[in-house]
Amino acid sequence: MSDTATLRVIDIIEGTSVDGPGLRTSIYLAGCDHRCPGCHNPSTWPHDAGRDMPVDELLLYVEEADFNVTLTGGDPIYQAKKLLPFVKYLRENGRTIWLYTGFTIEQLRDMPDAVALFPYLEAIVDGPFIEALRDTTLRFRGSSNQRIITDL
């Protein structure tokens, strides 16, 4: 890809089946201001958590694992502008991409950097985690207010 951009990455989990259909590479990005009570990843909230990772290095993980990709965190939308060339490259090279965000789709539609990602995403799981609506029977979601949106 030959891009000098970096993303702030907390962790990369290869071969997970809980963050979208099939086996996936889940990339946990730093930064989340939603701070949902009961969040299972509060260590991802600080925007300076994790480490800066060059996009080219991140692509090596994805290509080596050979799975589709899920962007989670934290909230990837805080790095939307930096994510654009990454998701574009992934999609153009046959990967599907799911993105988890605490923003609703209605809020995202008012964010130009987020909207720019839409053509490259297969699905967005939207909405904050609401502890009172926690439902462990839901597939790919933590609380019943969250939606899997595929019509972007």
Side-chain angles (χ1 to χ4, degrees):
M1 186 172 154
S2 189
D3 191 322
T4 58
T6 62
L7 293 167
R8 196 75 186 177
V9 176
I10 301 281
D11 201 3
I12 301 167
I13 307 293
E14 297 172 356
T16 182
S17 62
V18 298
D19 296 326
L23 294 177
R24 309 184 73 78
T25 297
S26 286
I27 301 169
Y28 290 79
L29 297 167
C32 187
D33 295 338
H34 306 293
R35 301 183 182 272
C36 303
C39 172
H40 73 284
N41 281 331
S43 64
T44 66
W45 294 352
H47 291 266
D48 62 352
R51 70 178 181 102
D52 284 327
M53 181 177 268
V55 170
D56 284 344
E57 183 181 338
L58 201 49
L59 284 170
L60 291 175
Y61 279 94
V62 171
E63 290 170 358
E64 186 175 299
D66 199 26
F67 299 124
N68 289 315
V69 174
T70 296
L71 301 171
T72 189
D75 191 324
I77 294 303
Y78 290 104
Q79 298 188 58
K81 193 171 194 166
K82 290 180 167 186
L83 276 171
L84 184 58
F86 180 63
V87 297
K88 183 179 180 191
Y89 180 88
L90 290 174
R91 190 59 173 217
E92 289 173 351
N93 286 277
R95 305 279 179 212
T96 64
I97 306 146
W98 277 42
L99 184 142
Y100 281 75
T101 179
F103 293 102
T104 65
I105 192 71
E106 293 80 12
Q107 291 169 313
L108 294 175
R109 288 185 177 128
D110 289 332
M111 301 174 174
D113 289 339
V115 171
L117 299 173
F118 288 7
Y120 307 104
L121 303 176
E122 179 181 49
I124 292 176
V125 180
D126 83 332
F129 171 74
I130 298 176
E131 197 166 17
L133 299 177
R134 182 175 185 254
D135 185 343
T136 59
T137 67
L138 294 172
R139 197 160 185 216
F140 309 132
R141 295 171 288 153
S143 57
S144 61
N145 64 296
Q146 294 173 316
R147 301 172 288 185
I148 299 172
I149 299 165
T150 57
D151 185 18
L152 302 169

